[in-house]
Amino acid sequence: MIRVKRKLNSVDVVDALTDLFILRGPPEYIRSDNGAEFIAKKVRAWIGAVGAKTAFIAPGSPWENGYCESFNARFRDELLNGEVFYSLREAQILIEKWRRHYNTVRPHSALGYRPPAPESIVPIDQRPTMH
């Protein structure tokens, strides 16, 4: 899920990372830019407390985090630059719809033009029945 708010602060970052760590476990390093929400003392303390380390990219060096920069560019080009959101809720719905398409339908060249997490659809007549 992409967190959509008018402004994200350090508490929002810790909240999002907590969800990821519960789902996937804490990584050895968290690579990020030097944005205020990532260099905040609360975030750095929390990352250290869970056993991970920070790996900040150098200012003005987006190539050090190429995957995120590539995703952000596509996100801007394919959605944000072409939309006017009239409410926060509308933004949340449209951004989640785009994210699902990006992950489950859109082909990715690095994956042999397959989506990273294609949806599985089980026909109704093949679903297990409850007794």
Side-chain angles (χ1 to χ4, degrees), residues 94-108:
L94 292 177
I95 289 168
E96 177 61 14
K97 182 178 175 184
W98 181 88
R99 185 196 67 82
R100 286 179 187 239
H101 181 268
Y102 182 85
N103 286 328
T104 62
V105 177
R106 183 181 184 277
H108 294 246

Side-chain angles (χ1 to χ4, degrees):
M1 177 188 322
I2 297 175
R3 303 286 168 114
V4 181
K5 290 179 140 186
R6 295 190 187 280
K7 182 179 180 181
L8 296 171
N9 59 30
S10 61
V11 173
D12 297 318
V13 172
V14 168
D15 214 28
L17 292 175
T18 299
D19 290 348
L20 286 171
F21 288 12
I22 289 168
L23 185 65
R24 299 184 178 186
E28 187 174 344
Y29 288 93
I30 295 177
R31 178 174 292 281
S32 71
D33 63 16
N34 292 286
E37 66 278 8
F38 281 103
I39 63 171
K41 289 178 186 176
K42 286 181 186 178
V43 174
R44 289 185 299 169
W46 183 86
I47 289 171
V50 297
K53 297 177 182 112
T54 55
F56 295 111
I57 66 171
S61 304
W63 56 86
E64 291 182 9
N65 202 4
Y67 176 80
C68 287
E69 292 299 322
S70 175
F71 172 82
N72 289 341
R74 282 184 176 77
F75 187 43
R76 271 191 308 279
D77 290 346
E78 296 176 12
L79 180 70
L80 299 179
N81 289 346
E83 291 289 337
V84 174
F85 302 112
Y86 293 101
S87 69
L88 182 59
R89 185 67 185 139
E90 179 186 20
Q92 291 166 336
I93 290 167
L94 292 177
I95 289 168
E96 177 61 14
K97 182 178 175 184
W98 181 88
R99 185 196 67 82
R100 286 179 187 239
H101 181 268
Y102 182 85
N103 286 328
T104 62
V105 177
R106 183 181 184 277
H108 294 246
S109 60
L111 301 173
Y113 295 95
R114 295 182 314 252
E119 288 184 314
S120 296
I121 299 172
V122 178
I124 292 175
D125 59 339
Q126 294 181 7
R127 292 182 186 166
T129 57
M130 295 178 53
H131 298 284

